[in-house]
Amino acid sequence: MVSRVRVWLNRTYAENVFFMDQLRRNPNDRAVEIHATHGDADSPVLAAADTADLEPEGLSPAAYVEYALDQCQRRGIDVFVPRLHQSAIVAHRADFAAIGTALLAPPPEAVAVFHDKVIAYEAVQAIGVPVPPWRRVRTADELVAAVDELEADGHKACFKPASGAGGVGFRVITRAPFSLMHLSGFPTPYVQLDLVVEALKQADEPVDWLVMPRLEQPEVSVDCLTGPDNLVRLAIGRTKNGRRRGFTLQDQWLEPARRIAEGFGLHYLSNIQFRMFGERPVLMDVNTRPAGGLHQLSLCGVNAPWAAVQLALGEDPGEIVPPFLGQDYTVVSGPRQLRPVSLPQQRLEETETLLPAVPAPVEPVQTTTAAEALPL
């Protein structure tokens, strides 16, 4: 009898409730139990999991590794999918392996390269993958100089943190003076240059930003599954152009993504994002973790989360070619169950008990109805 597989996702994105659904609907009909932890008691991933814990706050990366090892040992975790403190966790891969837990994450060298976007851009340029022009800035004078240079070349300037994920901190520079026009309608990513300069001058410490041209659509996110042998098993591009989403297998997107995934050893699931700079695709970002929209590949007949778990367990799924490319789609909000309202922190004795998922109020998360309908 084939044993169950126990998977843990730590402090992951709400959209990964669909990652969890796909693991349970795996084509091998293998029993999967999912453990989830989060700092937010109202995260829908806690309700979607078979067992769940609230994570302690304020742990250093080293202390979090100790917490993670304890979770894996007590919960009998076979595969751990780390998001929070990924760098510290993968540095202790041997410690997790010693207690029988496989890490579904790249080696520390690969994580380090793509933690800092400047290092990442320099590294991928060295292997022939095009990147947009960029400047690293830390002061108001450096920001103004970078913006002036880009605008002189006819570009619209934007900036984002040199390290970070999920588009946090991304802003587009405008020189239009602040007015009531900016207070009508919905908030936008545009920010006035003079306000940014003044904020930088008043800041207590320097920032660490990347200033670059605003890139054009389409945006293509290539989801890759790469083995420990550095060979890509799966690569599918998800296209985004405004509200419209779709899929692509065109070489102009997949070839540079494969070169990055194989060249830097982005083992297991990674997401490599491109946009247009003029007439050619350039690298925008690299995520060394599963993308929140990974479940959308189910519209192509592919269950990427399960294939990744198989690979982590040493059960190589081989090369995965989508049997078809799904039709264009969009994403809409839908309801998802939450756990009952509970105290912000668990008492010590409660941490030893399992927290069941039961019907309760709901929180909207992003979903695609068609994707959820497929039996993957």
Side-chain angles (χ1 to χ4, degrees), residues 154-173:
H155 304 301
K156 188 180 292 293
C158 64
F159 65 87
K160 58 185 178 181
S163 61
V168 175
F170 171 81
R171 297 293 187 274
V172 181
I173 291 289

Side-chain angles (χ1 to χ4, degrees), residues 120-176:
Y121 280 1
E122 291 174 342
V124 300
Q125 272 187 302
I127 64 169
V129 175
V131 302
W134 52 269
R135 296 289 183 273
R136 190 172 205 158
V137 306
R138 293 184 170 89
T139 66
D141 290 342
E142 290 176 349
L143 173 68
V144 172
V147 172
D148 285 345
E149 182 179 347
L150 286 172
E151 290 181 344
D153 290 335
H155 304 301
K156 188 180 292 293
C158 64
F159 65 87
K160 58 185 178 181
S163 61
V168 175
F170 171 81
R171 297 293 187 274
V172 181
I173 291 289
T174 177
R175 292 183 187 261

Side-chain angles (χ1 to χ4, degrees), residues 41-266:
D42 288 336
S43 170
V45 300
L46 297 182
D50 298 291
T51 61
D53 280 329
L54 286 175
E55 293 188 359
E57 296 293 342
L59 294 181
S60 67
Y64 192 91
V65 170
E66 293 302 317
Y67 163 79
L69 285 165
D70 178 69
Q71 285 280 313
C72 289
Q73 193 155 34
R74 288 196 301 113
R75 300 287 184 175
I77 301 300
D78 299 300
V79 178
F80 177 20
V81 188
R83 189 198 69 83
L84 183 66
H85 293 311
Q86 186 190 63
S87 297
I89 289 165
V90 296
H92 291 267
R93 188 181 300 271
D95 295 331
F96 286 93
I99 60 173
T101 300
L103 297 183
L104 202 154
E109 298 81 11
V111 174
V113 168
F114 295 103
H115 177 73
D116 185 301
K117 291 180 175 59
V118 170
I119 296 174
Y121 280 1
E122 291 174 342
V124 300
Q125 272 187 302
I127 64 169
V129 175
V131 302
W134 52 269
R135 296 289 183 273
R136 190 172 205 158
V137 306
R138 293 184 170 89
T139 66
D141 290 342
E142 290 176 349
L143 173 68
V144 172
V147 172
D148 285 345
E149 182 179 347
L150 286 172
E151 290 181 344
D153 290 335
H155 304 301
K156 188 180 292 293
C158 64
F159 65 87
K160 58 185 178 181
S163 61
V168 175
F170 171 81
R171 297 293 187 274
V172 181
I173 291 289
T174 177
R175 292 183 187 261
F178 186 77
S179 67
L180 285 177
M181 178 188 70
H182 297 100
L183 300 178
S184 62
F186 294 102
T188 74
Y190 284 87
V191 63
Q192 285 67 35
L193 177 60
D194 58 338
L195 297 181
V196 180
V197 169
E198 185 60 28
L200 287 175
K201 289 180 177 178
Q202 295 181 11
D204 295 330
E205 56 186 36
V207 296
D208 189 8
W209 290 344
L210 227 58
V211 177
M212 56 196 298
R214 185 176 187 183
L215 304 175
E216 300 302 323
Q217 293 185 328
E219 179 179 321
V220 177
S221 294
V222 182
D223 295 306
C224 293
L225 175 62
T226 308
D229 56 3
N230 293 342
L231 296 180
V232 169
R233 307 299 198 274
L234 167 71
I236 303 176
R238 289 183 287 113
T239 65
K240 179 166 65 174
N241 200 335
R243 178 173 287 183
R244 180 172 292 273
R245 312 291 180 93
F247 305 98
T248 180
L249 295 177
Q250 292 182 352
D251 279 345
Q252 66 172 337
W253 310 106
L254 267 59
E255 191 277 330
R258 286 177 174 273
R259 197 186 310 174
I260 291 170
E262 295 182 344
F264 294 98
L266 292 178

Side-chain angles (χ1 to χ4, degrees), residues 291-332:
L294 180 69
H295 65 280
Q296 293 161 11
L297 296 187
S298 64
L299 290 170
C300 299
V302 171
N303 188 326
W306 177 246
V309 167
Q310 283 185 294
L311 196 56
L313 292 172
E315 304 166 6
D316 196 332
E319 184 178 3
I320 301 171
V321 178
F324 53 85
L325 290 184
Q327 295 182 341
D328 286 359
Y329 64 101
T330 190
V331 295
V332 296

